[in-house]
Amino acid sequence: MEAFTTHTGRAVPLRRSNVDTDQIIPAVWLKQVSRTGFEKGLFSAWREDPAFVLNDPVHEGASILVSGPDFGTGSSREHAVWALQQYGFRVVIAARFGDIFRNNSTKMGLLPVVLPADVVEALQSAVEADPTLEITVDLGERQVRWGGEIAGFEIDDYTRWRLMEGLDDIGLTLRNADAVAVYENGRQPWLPTTV
Amino acid sequence: MGRTLAEKVWEQHVVRRADGEPDLLYIDLHLIHEVTSPQAFDGLRMAGRPVRRPELTIATEDHNVPTLLGPIKDPVSRTQVETLRKNCAEFGVRLHPMGDAGQGVVHIIGPQFGLTQPGMTIVCGDSHTSTHGAFGGIAFGIGTSEVEHVLATQTLPAYRPKTMAIEVSGELPAGVTAKDLILAIIAKIGTGGGQGYIVEYRGEAVRKLSMEGRMTVCNMSIEAGARAGMIAPDETTFDYLKGRPHAPAGADWDAAVEYWKSLTTDEDAVFDTVVEIDATTLTPFVTWGTNPGQGAPLGAAVPAPQDTDDPAAAERALEYMGLTAGTPLRDVAVDTVFVGSCTNGRLEDLRAVAEVLRGRQVVTRTLIVPGSMLVKLQAEQEGLHEVFKAAGAEWREAGCSMCLGMNPDTLAPGERSASTSNRNFEGRQGKGGRTHLVSPQVAAATAVTGKLTAPADLV
Ligand code: SF4
């Protein structure tokens, strides 16, 4: 996973709530068995509308998505995270996230930032007023900064550390392989196996 | 202080706990399907890691499979299914491929085999894994990175979610189903209402549900934002499990039941949140919008956006759905009826549909897709397929089908469905398709009249 410390970039304001993962990447794109090429599927149905915000050339090259509440609800598809990252996003800011999406993001190094709904709105308005606005997302300080504004956000220490170091969870867990083996010896004898 | 059911099951599975870190949780059963696993197996291969416990892992082909007999025509879908076959062979994972008697939608086959049991932790790269919580375990959907993590370690690092009780008092009136109940719950708490929680469904109406009805309720927990939903095990649970291929037997059965009986929320346990629902006031419930929280009783009208919690979203939804505020929901005409999915693709659902369709004719395209090959077999043994065919409905092979349209079963742009599945998202059943979520009973009656209808409306 790519480490995340601090990121500065421009943003896209997505003024929609309940952006479910079926919208982020429709099911037809999930048939690929590789991990690449998902940027084409990002919001593919919505992007057919020329007026959709992502099609506005003023937002080209933006790397921070600022969405309405309940972003990433629904399907567990991690392809949604891959699509956002491969399109060029490093951060998604919203007032609420779907739990699975949020989890998937932190496994991949896409930073989900929760800010209060009124702050998200203010940020969206600021970007709409000036699409060239530079926004800094500082994971170390747990802050989002733009045009003289500072908004703090919460993230647990462990996830923050893992993101800042770019650490792979599996490697961390395997350090505790002994504890897993001990646990396995004590499992209830009637628990099923698939064989 | 007492503990909730969720806390008991969680604590039983903590492998390692350290200050400032998520718990490391042991996973008792890992379910796999073709869509969310290929990149996980690739990851294992790249790191040279084996599957730690292949015997706690089971795979099936469901999302891409066609429901008409024959091979997969779409080469990309076919590659995905073939990739699963290769991966399962290479890593030693039991697979139920297309055509196999054990094949079916991943959340239907686990319980059917008796692999889903009380008190277990169950995960799958699929958000409807919450279904399995109906047996009193903790079951939740994960992403592909976590699938790889479970394959490699049989554990997951996770913070324990908060606990929510949904207390459903009274009995469901006649003609009101588990699906209506969960749709009403989601409309009440919203699609984000359960975020960060494990929900325990409780109360008289829940206790009276069959196992299949309980699975329908837990299945849609994720539609309220909750990763997991659960129901304490009881005699209904034990009766369902007894004698299933992977259920404990003999002395193991007795020991298991004794333990399972301890899996209830203690009297003095405290939930972080409690939501109360009066079952006696419920009626058949349908969705009008593009998320599962945008629902209303069938007897109501399409709401005006300003009367909803999120007017901007409602306005967008009505535009997408081609609906006008104030239109009675019973006047909404549909083109297609879909019966199936991990929400309502089980035998009881098919029986309910047959009861409505017996001696009647459908006027819409009507697809009836059993959730598994076993469900198909059982339905045919009861002659339900004859009822469906005589009514003019299509009786298909098992799979996810039009629940998400990864196979050829899709809606055309602008086409409207009444669907027993779980998601009415834009384009979920095919690009531009418009979905109304309904119970199997309402689906069947709707197929007969061509408009959203409850069986009680039929003469
Ligand atoms: S039936 Fe639908 S919801 Fe269930 S696993 Fe298949 S696609 Fe997912």
Side-chain angles (χ1 to χ4, degrees):
Chain A
M1 165 173 101
E2 203 181 335
F4 190 109
T5 49
T6 177
H7 174 77
T8 299
R10 287 177 291 113
V12 180
L14 178 61
R15 285 199 183 262
R16 290 187 188 185
S17 58
N18 273 296
V19 180
D20 60 77
T21 54
D22 273 77
Q23 307 316 313
I24 300 173
I25 185 155
V28 288
W29 297 93
L30 310 188
K31 298 182 183 185
Q32 306 292 338
V33 295
S34 69
R35 247 183 207 270
T36 52
F38 291 105
E39 67 279 6
K40 293 194 284 296
L42 181 70
F43 296 119
S44 64
W46 289 356
R47 269 157 78 187
E48 284 181 15
D49 173 4
F52 182 56
V53 66
L54 225 54
N55 291 329
D56 189 337
V58 300
H59 296 304
E60 215 174 288
S63 54
I64 300 169
L65 186 63
V66 188
S67 170
D70 296 312
F71 186 88
T73 54
S75 161
S76 64
R77 56 189 72 169
E78 195 164 305
H79 312 66
V81 175
W82 304 337
L84 285 160
Q85 286 184 311
Q86 288 163 17
Y87 187 87
F89 288 110
R90 299 284 328 268
V91 180
V92 183
I93 299 175
R96 284 201 308 259
F97 287 94
D99 285 339
I100 305 178
F101 174 85
R102 194 172 170 190
N103 229 22
N104 291 343
S105 298
T106 66
K107 305 290 172 188
M108 288 301 301
L110 174 73
L111 184 66
V113 173
V114 178
L115 291 179
D118 55 331
V119 179
V120 174
E121 284 245 14
L123 182 52
Q124 287 176 329
S125 300
V127 174
E128 282 159 358
D130 175 13
T132 66
L133 181 70
E134 295 265 307
I135 298 159
T136 295
V137 180
D138 185 336
L139 182 55
E141 295 293 328
R142 297 178 165 98
Q143 280 180 354
V144 181
R145 298 187 291 267
W146 71 96
E149 304 284 330
I150 297 180
F153 63 88
E154 285 180 29
I155 185 167
D156 69 274
D157 289 341
Y158 182 82
T159 306
R160 173 167 157 273
W161 166 72
R162 224 175 29 74
L163 282 164
M164 292 185 70
E165 301 288 327
L167 292 173
D168 154 37
D169 257 344
I170 299 179
L172 292 175
T173 297
L174 288 175
R175 292 183 197 169
N176 296 306
D178 290 352
V180 179
V182 168
Y183 179 90
E184 280 177 330
N185 286 330
R187 290 178 77 230
Q188 290 142 333
W190 64 77
L191 283 164
T193 67
T194 57
V195 292
Chain B
M1 194 175 74
R3 293 185 302 166
T4 64
L5 168 61
E7 286 160 346
K8 288 182 184 179
V9 178
W10 187 278
E11 291 304 318
Q12 177 73 23
H13 290 86
V14 175
V15 169
R16 179 177 179 274
R17 176 168 285 161
D19 263 357
E21 291 183 27
D23 287 343
L24 189 63
L25 210 61
Y26 199 80
I27 302 302
D28 290 322
L29 179 67
H30 187 190
L31 305 158
I32 286 184
H33 63 73
E34 75 274 17
V35 181
T36 54
S37 65
Q39 296 86 355
F41 281 112
D42 271 351
L44 290 185
R45 243 187 313 265
M46 269 167 6
R49 291 172 177 144
V51 173
R52 182 182 173 91
R53 299 296 301 270
E55 78 281 18
L56 302 184
T57 314
I58 187 168
T60 185
E61 299 167 1
D62 53 5
H63 284 64
N64 283 278
V65 303
T67 55
L68 291 170
L69 281 174
I72 303 181
K73 293 202 184 87
D74 175 353
V76 196
S77 285
R78 195 168 60 227
T79 301
Q80 190 160 64
V81 166
E82 283 167 358
T83 303
L84 180 69
R85 291 179 191 174
K86 271 189 241 148
N87 285 331
C88 287
E90 180 181 338
F91 288 91
V93 172
R94 168 172 158 192
L95 167 70
H96 291 282
M98 273 168 60
D100 182 270
Q103 180 266 344
V105 178
V106 67
H107 309 306
I108 303 230
I109 67 163
Q112 191 176 278
F113 283 129
L115 284 167
T116 300
Q117 296 174 17
M120 290 174 66
T121 45
I122 301 178
V123 297
C124 174
D126 195 288
S127 60
H128 292 103
T129 310
S130 57
T131 311
H132 306 265
F135 291 78
I138 293 180
F140 55 91
I142 57 179
T144 298
S145 291
E146 290 179 311
V147 169
E148 184 181 337
H149 193 284
V150 176
L151 287 171
T153 70
Q154 203 59 36
T155 65
L156 264 185
Y159 289 103
R160 187 171 65 71
K162 293 176 286 182
T163 56
M164 176 187 289
I166 297 189
E167 299 275 359
V168 190
S169 60
E171 276 186 62
L172 290 173
V176 181
T177 68
K179 182 66 164 286
D180 301 310
L181 170 61
I182 188 63
L183 285 173
I185 289 172
I186 299 163
K188 181 177 168 111
I189 71 172
T191 54
Q195 272 167 24
Y197 289 96
I198 294 182
V199 171
E200 183 184 336
Y201 301 97
R202 298 159 56 85
E204 187 185 351
V206 175
R207 292 262 72 89
K208 293 219 160 118
L209 289 176
S210 68
M211 252 355 271
E212 300 203 349
R214 293 178 187 186
M215 285 189 252
T216 300
V217 169
C218 288
N219 172 275
M220 290 191 71
S221 302
I222 183 67
E223 286 1 299
R227 265 181 109 174
M230 58 202 310
I231 295 173
D234 58 13
E235 290 303 326
T236 302
T237 322
F238 310 149
D239 289 348
Y240 177 96
L241 274 168
K242 197 165 175 101
R244 297 209 172 243
H246 290 272
D252 274 349
W253 172 262
D254 297 335
V257 170
E258 197 182 315
Y259 171 65
W260 294 344
K261 284 183 173 162
S262 73
L263 297 175
T264 55
T265 290
D266 296 330
E267 290 280 335
D268 55 343
V270 179
F271 289 93
D272 295 308
T273 302
V274 178
V275 173
E276 286 172 5
I277 304 260
D278 178 359
T280 62
T281 62
L282 296 179
T283 57
F285 213 87
V286 302
T287 62
W288 50 265
T290 54
N291 73 56
Q294 292 173 324
L298 176 61
V302 176
Q306 66 271 21
D307 298 338
T308 68
D309 298 342
D310 188 345
E315 200 163 321
R316 250 194 75 77
L318 291 189
E319 193 190 323
Y320 180 87
M321 292 296 289
L323 292 173
T324 314
T327 308
L329 286 163
R330 280 193 169 91
D331 288 352
V332 174
V334 312
D335 310 295
T336 290
V337 168
F338 171 66
V339 174
S341 86
C342 57
T343 310
N344 283 124
R346 287 171 287 265
L347 190 59
E348 273 176 25
D349 302 314
L350 300 183
R351 284 182 186 146
V353 170
E355 197 177 311
V356 177
L357 291 187
R358 199 178 298 277
R360 294 194 170 103
Q361 286 296 313
V362 304
V363 299
T364 64
R365 168 164 80 131
T366 304
L367 244 62
I368 304 181
V369 181
S372 71
M373 292 292 275
L374 183 67
V375 169
K376 178 166 189 266
L377 181 76
Q378 290 170 329
E380 291 183 352
Q381 282 167 348
E382 293 183 14
L384 304 183
H385 64 312
E386 300 296 353
V387 178
F388 302 148
K389 287 185 200 165
E394 296 177 55
W395 175 237
R396 298 290 189 90
E397 303 297 311
C400 293
S401 180
M402 201 183 271
C403 177
L404 91 167
M406 269 183 91
N407 78 346
D409 307 335
T410 55
L411 294 180
E415 198 179 346
R416 187 183 300 280
S417 78
S419 175
T420 67
S421 55
N422 43 50
R423 288 189 171 138
N424 51 342
F425 296 153
E426 289 180 28
R428 170 80 177 180
Q429 298 190 289
K431 204 160 111 192
R434 295 161 167 166
T435 303
H436 295 272
L437 300 178
V438 300
S439 70
Q441 287 81 345
V442 168
T446 300
V448 170
T449 65
K451 290 181 179 174
L452 294 176
T453 304
D457 304 335
L458 298 174
V459 278

